[in-house]
Amino acid sequence: MTSRSILRALGAALLIGALSGCQHTQEYNETFLVFGTLVDVTIYDDDPNRAAAAMETARADFNYMQRTWHAWKPSALYRINQLIPSGAEFSAGPSILPLIERSQTLSVQSHGLFNPAIGRLIALWGFQSDDLPNTPPPQDAIRALVAQHPAMADLQVKGLRLRSSNPAVQLDFGAFAKGYGIDLVIERLRALGIENLIVNAGGDLRAIGRHGERPWRIGIRNPRGEGVIASVDIQGDESVFTSGDYERYFDYEGTRYHHIIDPRTGYPARGTTSVTVIHSDGADADAAATALFVAGPTQWREIAKSMGVDKVMLIDDQGVVHMTPAMAERIHMQIKPVPTIRISPLE
Ligand code: AMP
Ligand code: MG
C-alpha cells in the first residue's frame, strides 16, 4: 500500500468515525428547582452542542418564570396582587398577562372550579407559604372571602393595562403555571431543533417525540400508600398532569386539610384523592386536573366535557377508580389487588 492510499483509507475511516459520532443519539439530563419542585429535563438528541444550548435555554426560562410568577415572594405577580385592591387601572407585567387571559378562558370552561382569583383563600389557609400550617383558619374568615366571589372575570385587560372590579381578587397560578411554563419551554426547545424531549416536574410532565425505540413510560402515584397505582406509555406530543390531596396537606383533629380549595365552599375539596389528565398541552391538562379534583366523583364528567379533555382518571376517597374509555385504553393498573374500576363516557 502506498503512503497515499494509506492516507486515503485513513481519511475514509475518519470520515466514517465522524459521521457515526454525529449520529450517536444520547440522553442529556438536567434538574432545575422551579415552581417549588424539581423539574427534570431529558433531551434525546444526536448533537451535544444543540442539547447543551437547549439546556441553557431551559434554565434561563425556568429562572425567569420563578422570578416573575411567584405568588408570595416579590415578583411581577406579587406586584399585581398589591395593586389590584386599589380598583384603579395599572400597567401589568407582560409576563403575567397571557397567564391571566388563558386562565380566564379555562376558568369559564371549568364553571369556576379552576379559579386562580382565590389567592386570598389560599393565603388564609396558609398554603401560600414554604411551611405548612397546622390548624384550619376561622370559619367566619373563610365565609367572608367566599361571599366576595373573587373570579377571573372580575379582571379587565386592555392592552398592557389591568384593572379589577373586585378588590377581593388575588391571583395564584399554582394550579396552572407549571403546565403553562412547561409548554413555553417545550416550544422554545422545539424551535432550537430538539425533537425528543421530556420535561417532568415531580410526575407532572409533557413529552414530545420518542425515547429511542421505547416510548416514555410514566408512573402515576398511588394516592394512598407507597409506589405507583398505574402506568402510561407516552409517545408523540402529550402531557400527563395529576392533582392529589397528598401533595400539600396537614392533619387536624383527624381530618386531612389539603391545598386544593373548592371556591364554592372555601374549604379543601372533598370526595377525591387524585385526578390524572392526559392531554396534548400542559396548561390545559394542569388546569383540568385541578378543576376535576374540585368537581369530584359526581361532577367530573360534566366539567371534563366542558374543558375539552377526554382522558381522565379520578380516584375517589373510597379508593374507587373512575375513568373515561379513552383513558382506559391508555392506562395499565399496577397494584394488586386491582381496585374497583368504573369506566364511563363523558356526559
Ligand atoms: P395543582 O397541584 O395543580 O392541583 O394546584 C394546586 C394549587 O393551586 C394550590 O396549591 C393553590 O395554590 C392553587 N389552587 C387551589 N385550589 C384552586 C382552585 N380551585 N383553582 C385554582 N387554583 C387553586
Ligand atoms: Mg393543576
Side-chain angles (χ1 to χ4, degrees), residues 268-280:
R270 295 286 171 221
T272 311
T273 57
S274 92
V275 173
T276 301
V277 174
I278 305 179
H279 192 64
S280 50

Side-chain angles (χ1 to χ4, degrees), residues 113-116 118 122 127 172-176 242-244 247-248 259-263 286 289-290 294:
L113 302 186
F114 165 73
N115 184 359
I118 60 166
I122 294 160
F127 289 115
D172 178 316
F173 291 116
F176 158 78
T242 299
S243 284
E247 286 176 49
R248 274 175 79 69
H259 67 148
I260 303 170
I261 306 296
D262 186 336
D286 196 355
T290 307
V294 177

Side-chain angles (χ1 to χ4, degrees), residues 78-288:
Y78 184 83
R79 176 179 165 272
I80 288 178
N81 278 336
Q82 285 189 312
L83 292 171
I84 281 175
S86 73
E89 196 179 87
F90 60 91
S91 55
S95 63
I96 309 290
L97 292 169
L99 278 154
I100 293 178
E101 288 179 320
R102 183 82 181 268
S103 50
Q104 282 183 319
T105 309
L106 287 164
S107 196
V108 170
Q109 289 176 331
S110 75
H111 300 184
L113 302 186
F114 165 73
N115 184 359
I118 60 166
R120 274 206 181 153
L121 265 173
I122 294 160
L124 178 71
W125 274 95
F127 289 115
Q128 279 187 353
S129 152
D130 295 328
D131 305 313
L132 280 169
N134 47 32
T135 48
Q139 198 180 43
D140 291 355
I142 295 171
R143 285 206 181 129
L145 285 182
V146 172
Q148 290 180 288
H149 298 293
M152 291 307 291
D154 297 326
L155 293 173
Q156 288 99 48
V157 181
K158 268 194 245 142
L160 288 180
R161 313 282 292 167
L162 182 67
R163 127 165 233 285
S164 175
S165 52
N166 183 345
V169 168
Q170 287 283 282
L171 295 170
D172 178 316
F173 291 116
F176 158 78
K178 210 194 275 180
Y180 186 82
I182 289 176
D183 286 348
L184 285 187
V185 166
I186 296 235
E187 287 322 313
R188 291 260 287 163
L189 270 48
R190 230 207 288 249
L192 292 176
I194 303 291
E195 288 169 357
N196 304 296
L197 155 80
I198 186 163
V199 183
N200 182 351
D204 288 332
L205 55 96
R206 178 169 171 185
I208 58 169
R210 298 174 66 86
H211 184 233
E213 291 310 306
R214 291 169 289 141
W216 310 95
R217 174 157 290 184
I218 313 305
I220 295 163
R221 186 173 151 169
N222 180 1
R224 292 289 178 272
E226 292 295 304
V228 300
I229 191 162
S231 68
V232 190
D233 289 343
I234 299 292
Q235 272 187 41
D237 184 359
E238 266 184 332
S239 304
V240 185
F241 275 74
T242 299
S243 284
D245 70 352
Y246 48 82
E247 286 176 49
R248 274 175 79 69
Y249 70 94
F250 60 91
D251 289 310
Y252 179 74
E253 294 183 346
T255 302
R256 177 179 295 212
Y257 294 91
H258 61 79
H259 67 148
I260 303 170
I261 306 296
D262 186 336
R264 299 166 296 194
T265 62
Y267 280 81
R270 295 286 171 221
T272 311
T273 57
S274 92
V275 173
T276 301
V277 174
I278 305 179
H279 192 64
S280 50
D281 70 80
D284 289 359
D286 196 355

